[in-house]
Amino acid sequence: MYTPCPSCNAGRVVTKNIGKQTGGLIGAVGGAVSGGAGILSGAQTGAAVGVIAGPVGSAIGSVVGAIIGSLFGGVAGGIAGATLGQHVDEKVLNNYQCLDCGYSFSINH
């Protein structure tokens, strides 16, 4: 979509996406922490699956289960945070910036 600068009418305009980046980071950290709270459940599941391979398999299974729980939580939180941040960019922040004059603006849909 072509969006000229409303100040100088130049065509060199970029999106800053500050809300999307910040939301993604906060969501990923929050999701990883939340997934980390589920470490016990993931560790128990991994240990149960690892029992087939004996005590070493149980230990490895519990660690792998805990790591996978944190990773899935981080990914899910990051996606949710980035989506929310994208809406903030579009509705609240001046997400567009002209590279010629430096003017920041938003586009009302």
Side-chain angles (χ1 to χ4, degrees), residues 7-9 12 22-24 27 32 34 38 46 98 101:
S7 177
C8 70
N9 206 29
R12 294 178 10 141
T22 304
S34 176
C98 177
C101 70

Side-chain angles (χ1 to χ4, degrees), residues 35 37-70 72:
I39 283 178
L40 182 58
S41 173
Q44 288 173 342
T45 303
V49 171
V51 162
I52 298 168
V56 173
S58 179
I60 292 173
S62 64
V63 170
V64 169
I67 290 171
I68 289 174
S70 284
F72 281 150

Side-chain angles (χ1 to χ4, degrees), residues 4 8 10 16 18 28-29 31 34 38 52 55 57 70 77 82 88 91 93 102 109:
C8 70
K16 297 187 280 184
I18 294 170
V29 170
S34 176
I52 298 168
S70 284
V88 170
K91 306 292 182 192
L93 301 176
H109 297 294

Side-chain angles (χ1 to χ4, degrees), residues 14-25 81-97 104-109:
V14 295
T15 55
K16 297 187 280 184
N17 293 329
I18 294 170
K20 184 176 180 179
Q21 293 171 356
T22 304
L25 177 63
T83 302
L84 179 62
Q86 183 176 5
H87 289 293
V88 170
D89 282 336
E90 292 171 1
K91 306 292 182 192
V92 178
L93 301 176
N94 290 331
N95 194 38
Y96 296 89
Q97 183 169 19
S104 292
F105 60 97
S106 62
I107 298 174
N108 296 325
H109 297 294

